[in-house]
Amino acid sequence: MEPVYEPVGWRKEGDKAYQPISPDNSPNPGGPQSHPSPASRPRQHRRSRVLLHWLWHFLSLLWLAPIITLLWLNLSRHIIGASVWCPKGNCNAESTSENAFKRAKQLDRQDHNMNGALQFVAKALEVWFMFVAASLVYDMGVLFAKKGRGLPVGYLLSHLEFTDIRYLFNPLLWTSPWPHRNSVPEKHGRIIKLYIFAVITAFLTILANLMGPAAAVLVLPSLQWKDTPHIMDQTFNGIGAPNRPSGNDVFKDCNETQLAARNYSCTSRTYGPQLDEWAAQGISSIVQTDNDDGEIIIGSSQEYALSFTFNASDNGELVWVPNRQVLRAMSHELLKARGAYTESDPPEYPDRTFNNSLQTVLSRQGPSLGFQATCHTGDAIDFNLDEHRWVRCYTDWSTGNVNDTSTYTKCIRIGVDFNLTNYWARFTHEITDPDVPEYDAGVGVYFADKAMYFNDTHDFDSGIKSCVFPDETGTPCDWDRVFDATLPDEALRNTSINVGMVSYQVPSLNNTDGRVYCEHVIYLSFPTYTVDTSPMSNPQNLVRLTNIDVVKNDSVPITLVPDWYLTAWSVDNDTALDGERQIVKKLIEVLPGTYNRTIAEEYDVQEFGLLHLYALGQALSMVNYYNTSAPADPMSREAIEADKDKVNHPIFRTWATVHVWAYGISGRSSILGVTVVLLGSVCVLARFFLGLMTGIQERSTVEVLAAAFEHRHQGEFDGLEDEGHLAKVRYQVVEDGEGKQRFIPEKRTSRWSHANST
């Protein structure tokens, strides 16, 4: 027979267990001792354990420091700058310089490296939290193991297993609280408490596995568009459209005397070539439609350092034109943003935020005029009422609706005796082409506060037919009654109030009454003007309009006096345009074909439409507006009261939007990340206070295994072969006099004890 192995340092007592050798029964009780006495070893070990215990408590609590910092960075929407690595907020992207592309590549490489490093930071926070969560599970397990009948075997190593997501699907997690068949019956309250332990452990399993992505969401910044503070700049006091141009500040090259005399040719130096060039861009683009993939591209005009073009509203019914007065103010801001500031500018400008951003978009609120215009051909018929009043009617007017083929005669009333706004203006085209016969190449521009329609079957109870075709009785016509009649059709009503009309006389036409006439209605809005300051992405400094919203004011169009149309053409009232201008030659060329489609060249109608479009757009862009400085303090009573009247006197604000690396809570993933780390913080605090109150000192896996090996089997596993039943066996975990863990098994039923003894 082989000798039985006996562990060194243990003696055999009876036939049942091994016991440690005490100092009294040592083989050499009187011999010399080269190591500390047995009584001093536990004390030294206990002091080291306590020190490590509190050190680990402090390190666990310290996890909150980076988490609180990250929460503050994200909740405060902290801006870093043009790069993730931006020491002291200084990382100039040079986005407006010629080295912008090279600098962008450098910053991109730098950002890539820094984001990679921050991912390691996120992983470190995840691992750190897992240590804390494992300690919390351990502390809870020890608390349960010290009370009542102890902790099931299935939960003894939960603090080592819970970080694996598969632990959630381990049946032992959910079945271990129930007593096995050989155990003493137990109250349901104790079972419920064990299930609470299981639920908390499962919750920590989920939390620990989500902590990595959550930490990464908060640690890694993202590229975001950030607004600088909105500065209250101007209070709107009215638009200049109902008035003739006046003052010394409306046009750079015009003075008050010239404008009062209606000599608008003073604008020709700056705006005459611009209109010609603008129209030429559009007309040359028409030819591109001959190609299968070609289309007309609307040209652009310039004001100071900015260019602009038309903007269509969302529904496509109105065309909006940027205001040149707003563009002049934005040009100054653009140059400041690029560093070209003057001595009058604040010394801290340009704002360092602009330099430390990858891209900057300047924004400014201001007025804009939008128009709806249609052109028709027909004859013009005048009814002179007196020196300051007459009625002009145009035949063959239609709504433009494909479902409505009806034609009408449209009449407008002209003259200040009808209404002080019913102005008119006129100019002619000088003809230099010898192939074109001399004619009165006149262009009449009118504004009428009211219009009326009739045809062979309808006059809408206005009585206008009897005015246009008087009977033999000579009954006087009541023109006031005519224009006060209510139109039942919405399409007619929308073009019967505050209507502008531009009437072109057709050259080479035997019928001197023949006209191409274009009507328009004008609306006012207060959009946001935006311009990208980067020469790389916006080389033409093109301005765009956003947030366009019609100021309805009962949906009535605004007044536009005809003189603004003269400023667009740079012509004095009732004089001739220079016939050498290309736009004049083109207009005379396309008018006959526009009027008479049978003789029209291929692009006559389209080219005429663009010529009129650009001339009208030029006129609307030149309209000035009146303003006063906005209150300096946006929280003052004056500012609050002024800001209430957003329709008639809105306050215009200016700001910049910068593209920067920044922290922030901007989506569902960020919200989830904040939620996870907040729950994690609660767990860290719970572990800290639980350790303070209980003083539980965590044992290493080696110590737990050693205690298990030292345990004397008392038959608690007898008769239990299934893993599920073995996991339900409970043990109390206590400490002996030397501070070592000891396992005390639960009591068994008397039935089992009797059966076992027999």
Side-chain angles (χ1 to χ4, degrees), residues 701-750:
T701 306
V702 172
E703 290 178 295
V704 174
L705 289 175
F709 290 147
E710 290 178 357
H711 173 67
R712 183 176 58 185
H713 178 248
Q714 299 179 14
E716 56 267 25
F717 292 107
D718 293 350
L720 303 176
E721 299 178 357
D722 181 72
E723 180 189 26
H725 291 97
L726 293 173
K728 295 178 180 180
V729 176
R730 300 185 191 177
Y731 283 94
Q732 275 191 329
V733 180
V734 297
E735 292 185 0
D736 61 12
E738 297 180 356
K740 294 183 178 181
Q741 278 190 336
R742 292 290 181 259
F743 292 97
I744 301 177
E746 63 177 336
K747 295 180 178 180
R748 316 309 271 324
T749 61
S750 57

Side-chain angles (χ1 to χ4, degrees), residues 411-438:
C411 298
I412 59 175
R413 61 184 192 179
I414 305 169
V416 293
D417 284 356
F418 273 124
N419 191 296
L420 291 177
T421 61
N422 288 14
Y423 290 109
W424 67 279
R426 183 179 182 275
F427 63 94
T428 59
H429 299 130
E430 181 184 27
I431 298 177
T432 59
D433 188 347
D435 296 331
V436 178
E438 290 287 341

Side-chain angles (χ1 to χ4, degrees), residues 70 73-86 115 118 217-227 356 358 658-666 670:
L70 290 174
L73 290 173
N74 283 274
L75 294 176
S76 65
R77 302 183 181 275
H78 176 71
I79 296 176
I80 303 173
S83 173
V84 180
W85 175 246
C86 199
N115 278 327
L118 289 176
V217 168
L218 298 184
V219 167
L220 295 172
S222 60
L223 275 173
Q224 302 178 30
W225 288 99
K226 295 284 189 177
D227 285 353
N356 288 344
L358 293 170
V658 293
H659 201 204
V660 292
W661 287 97
Y663 289 99
I665 309 300
S666 57
S670 299

Side-chain angles (χ1 to χ4, degrees), residues 184-294:
V184 176
E186 189 175 20
K187 295 181 179 180
H188 289 291
R190 178 64 182 175
I191 297 176
I192 293 174
K193 290 180 180 179
L194 288 174
Y195 268 112
I196 292 175
F197 173 82
V199 170
I200 294 176
T201 305
F203 168 75
L204 289 173
T205 299
I206 298 173
L207 196 63
N209 282 275
L210 289 178
M211 188 56 67
V217 168
L218 298 184
V219 167
L220 295 172
S222 60
L223 275 173
Q224 302 178 30
W225 288 99
K226 295 284 189 177
D227 285 353
T228 61
H230 291 212
I231 300 173
M232 300 173 67
D233 185 60
Q234 297 174 343
T235 299
F236 178 77
N237 292 323
I239 193 75
N243 307 310
R244 288 174 176 173
S246 62
N248 294 317
D249 301 326
V250 180
F251 302 113
K252 176 183 177 182
D253 301 319
C254 300
N255 56 47
E256 175 67 28
T257 303
Q258 292 171 310
L259 296 180
R262 305 177 77 181
N263 295 332
Y264 304 117
S265 59
C266 59
T267 65
S268 61
R269 177 174 173 270
T270 302
Y271 298 114
Q274 278 200 15
L275 179 60
D276 294 1
E277 180 184 359
W278 200 2
Q281 292 177 40
I283 290 175
S284 63
S285 181
I286 292 177
V287 183
Q288 297 294 331
T289 58
D290 289 342
N291 303 313
D292 292 338
D293 299 324

Side-chain angles (χ1 to χ4, degrees), residues 639-694:
I640 295 173
E641 289 298 323
D643 210 24
K644 289 181 180 178
D645 191 1
K646 297 181 182 297
V647 175
N648 298 314
H649 300 285
I651 293 179
F652 297 147
R653 292 167 170 80
T654 179
W655 69 94
T657 304
V658 293
H659 201 204
V660 292
W661 287 97
Y663 289 99
I665 309 300
S666 57
R668 295 177 181 176
S669 59
S670 299
I671 295 174
L672 178 61
V674 170
T675 303
V676 169
V677 297
L678 286 176
L679 292 174
S681 301
V682 172
C683 294
V684 170
L685 291 173
R687 197 272 169 184
F688 178 75
F689 288 112
L690 186 62
L692 285 181
M693 292 184 295
T694 61

Side-chain angles (χ1 to χ4, degrees), residues 487-495:
L487 293 168
D489 188 275
E490 183 179 359
L492 301 179
R493 287 198 306 271
N494 291 342
T495 55

Side-chain angles (χ1 to χ4, degrees), residues 526-565:
F526 303 109
T528 299
Y529 291 68
T530 63
V531 58
D532 181 1
T533 62
S534 173
M536 292 178 58
S537 54
N538 188 19
Q540 293 186 331
N541 298 342
L542 184 66
V543 170
R544 292 178 172 83
L545 300 183
T546 60
N547 302 324
I548 301 174
D549 185 23
V550 178
V551 179
K552 296 186 181 300
N553 199 11
D554 296 330
S555 299
V556 176
I558 68 169
T559 300
L560 179 71
V561 299
D563 290 50
W564 291 105
Y565 197 77

Side-chain angles (χ1 to χ4, degrees), residues 3 69 88 125 200 225 240 269 289 350 359 362 577 662:
T69 302
K88 298 181 180 180
L125 289 173
I200 294 176
W225 288 99
R269 177 174 173 270
T289 58
Q359 194 173 3
L362 300 180
L577 273 170

